[in-house]
Amino acid sequence: VFTTETNYITSAEREGQSEAWTGNGFTAKKGMSWRNPGFDQTDDHPVVCVSWNDSVEFCKWLSKKTSKIVRLPTEAQWEYACRKGYADTQAPGSLEWTWECSEAKTHPVRQRRVSRLGIYDMLGNVQVWCSDWYGPYQAGAATDPKGPATGTTRVLRGGSWLSQANTCRPAVRQYHRVEARLAHWGFRIVVEGPDSDNRVAEPRSSSRPNSTPLDSTNKNVLIVDADNGVAIKLALIRAGKFMMGSPARSGYIVITTR
């Protein structure tokens, strides 16, 4: 819907290439984009080969279309949702689409374990962009941190089909320049709600043409195109307190308020 309505051209399409995994590293591949990521995808797969810039443009469009505040999650919000969703006793990366089982490609969402918040693929499958500039964590406690005021690279979280299982953990951070795009990078949106509550979206839209009309009163569904039954399922995330990062790597207490 986004590209059809706006005629938006992604970074990969504009430059005519994206980065492809060769088995030993990444190399530029002509014609590679979200439309042609190097492996087969359906509407049930998470979008990949999109840059941070592309992700932000999508959020701007969806905000205008739905009259909601739609944006990328902050790094703190992403980690809070991930940690709150998985029990400490669950082995990190043991039940995700990681390198050991992914066959070097994305997989449809909702096939692996679901978190206690009702969210799928917080770890593995595709790594997602966050809104923050990358930088060291600030010392001490913080309330709703949004990262450094400036920087040269943006944060990516969650691991992907290319990640080793032992690196697919809530605290692991990666970063890259805003125009970069790879076949294991995507994004997930946040829809701001009242009373410091936010709702996190599944990594795809649910298309239901010619089906029962969508319920416009359901706060956990963001209607994108009512005529064609296109909506995004949301999960409610209430504010709380947690330890961000790893204590051995300058972790700090965060109180999320949004």
Side-chain angles (χ1 to χ4, degrees):
V1 179
F2 168 53
T3 55
T4 300
E5 287 192 3
T6 63
N7 293 318
Y8 180 79
I9 299 174
T10 63
S11 299
E13 292 171 304
R14 187 163 50 252
E15 296 181 20
Q17 63 182 31
S18 190
E19 298 289 318
W21 175 249
T22 65
N24 296 310
F26 289 94
T27 186
K29 182 177 180 180
K30 291 183 177 180
M32 186 175 173
S33 72
W34 69 275
R35 301 177 189 273
N36 178 31
F39 40 76
D40 292 336
Q41 285 195 315
T42 69
D43 288 343
D44 289 326
H45 286 246
V47 67
V48 292
C49 294
V50 288
S51 67
W52 186 89
N53 289 336
D54 298 330
S55 305
V56 169
E57 288 302 316
F58 175 87
C59 290
K60 290 178 181 178
W61 166 78
L62 192 55
S63 294
K64 184 177 180 180
K65 187 173 182 66
T66 61
S67 299
K68 303 286 186 181
I69 299 176
V70 180
R71 54 175 174 76
L72 296 179
T74 65
E75 187 177 13
Q77 288 172 334
W78 181 91
E79 187 171 331
Y80 175 70
C82 187
R83 290 188 182 278
K84 190 174 179 64
Y86 296 124
D88 293 339
T89 55
Q90 292 173 303
S94 63
L95 299 171
E96 332 302 342
W97 288 120
T98 60
W99 180 250
E100 290 81 357
C101 61
S102 68
E103 300 179 334
K105 61 183 180 180
T106 62
H107 291 263
V109 300
R110 295 171 171 251
Q111 288 193 347
R112 307 302 266 186
R113 62 171 170 166
V114 61
S115 81
R116 291 176 296 186
L117 298 175
I119 308 174
Y120 293 81
D121 296 320
M122 283 296 287
L123 296 171
N125 214 5
V126 297
Q127 199 164 33
V128 296
W129 289 106
C130 293
S131 61
D132 309 44
W133 290 110
Y134 177 79
Y137 292 146
Q138 68 186 73
T143 299
D144 194 24
K146 297 178 174 61
T150 60
T152 58
T153 55
R154 298 282 185 174
V155 174
L156 289 143
R157 287 298 203 110
S160 71
W161 58 259
L162 188 58
S163 304
Q164 298 288 338
N166 63 356
T167 67
C168 199
R169 305 192 311 274
V172 173
R173 312 169 76 201
Q174 291 194 4
Y175 53 92
H176 221 298
R177 64 189 191 279
V178 296
E179 71 276 8
R181 61 273 173 191
L182 295 173
H184 62 290
W185 292 353
F187 67 98
R188 186 188 293 269
I189 63 171
V190 166
V191 181
E192 289 192 11
D195 303 322
S196 300
D197 291 335
N198 291 305
R199 288 170 169 80
V200 176
E202 290 295 325
R204 70 176 182 90
S205 297
S206 298
S207 181
R208 309 186 310 159
N210 302 319
S211 62
T212 304
L214 296 169
D215 181 5
S216 60
T217 65
N218 187 344
K219 295 181 179 180
N220 289 330
V221 173
L222 182 65
I223 298 176
V224 179
D225 186 346
D227 292 339
N228 292 305
V230 178
I232 297 176
K233 184 178 180 181
L234 307 173
L236 177 64
I237 311 295
R238 297 194 182 279
K241 184 177 181 179
F242 78 114
M243 173 69 80
M244 183 172 180
S246 168
R249 297 186 178 181
S250 301
Y252 61 92
I253 297 294
V254 177
I255 303 173
T256 57
T257 60
R258 296 189 62 80

